[in-house]
Amino acid sequence: MAIVFRPLGLRWRMGALLLAALATGCAQLGAPPYAADYEALDRLEAHTPGKVAVGKVQPTDPNDTVNTLRLRRARLVSPSGTFAQYLEDALMRDLSEISVYDPKAPTRIAARILVNELDLGVVNGSGRMDVEVTVTRNAAQRLRKTYRGEIAFDSSYANIVAVPAGQAAYPRLVRALLRQVYADPQFVAAIAPSAP
């Protein structure tokens, strides 16, 4: 009787590699690219905002706690280098989508990430992002306010399920935060072309 070895499926091999990497504590996973919330952008665009620039989102230090996310033994990394840069890129992309981004505009949005967390939990995972947003026009402050974005997602006790779920949830967390910003009447007024 001959023994036949069949090649393992790609999905099984990838799962085994992820599990092995998690077991050694050295896994490094990239956060998925940001995708805009077009409903939130449509509502913002309906208010006819003026042209805005985006300042360097803080903190820029890659070793700052807000730029370091752990998913149990795995480390989530930003494709932009830091999660502050990830948020900055998301802001610029969103504002470009509605044709109001202009790096030379006198109205400038600055942001500082205060909290940036993903908790995989055992059955349910959660994420929280707190960001202080400042809007200035010609160096005069129009707005300074802290916004919070929160999400929930299905998780698991098993790392092979929970870690990819947390990884996939990160862009949703950024969208949840920016949805709060764009929906705030004070923010809308601060970037309006007629704001004093």
Side-chain angles (χ1 to χ4, degrees), residues 13-97:
R13 281 182 283 177
M14 292 302 291
L17 287 172
L18 176 62
L19 188 58
L22 291 174
T24 62
C26 64
Q28 201 171 59
L29 306 169
Y34 172 78
D37 180 336
Y38 289 102
E39 284 185 25
L41 288 178
D42 287 346
R43 286 191 294 270
L44 179 60
E45 187 177 24
H47 292 287
T48 59
K51 297 288 186 181
V52 291
V54 175
K56 193 54 121 172
V57 174
Q58 301 295 322
T60 57
D61 180 0
N63 296 315
D64 192 284
T65 55
V66 302
N67 286 318
T68 306
L69 282 178
R70 291 265 174 208
L71 301 176
R72 295 188 182 154
R73 292 184 182 180
R75 182 171 179 245
L76 187 67
V77 296
S78 167
S80 306
T82 64
F83 290 107
Q85 186 65 52
Y86 188 102
L87 178 60
E88 183 180 327
D89 292 346
L91 266 168
M92 289 190 296
R93 181 176 170 178
D94 280 354
L95 297 169
S96 295
E97 282 283 344

Side-chain angles (χ1 to χ4, degrees), residues 156-171:
S156 171
Y157 177 77
N159 283 348
I160 200 158
V161 174
V163 172
Q167 178 185 16
Y170 192 76

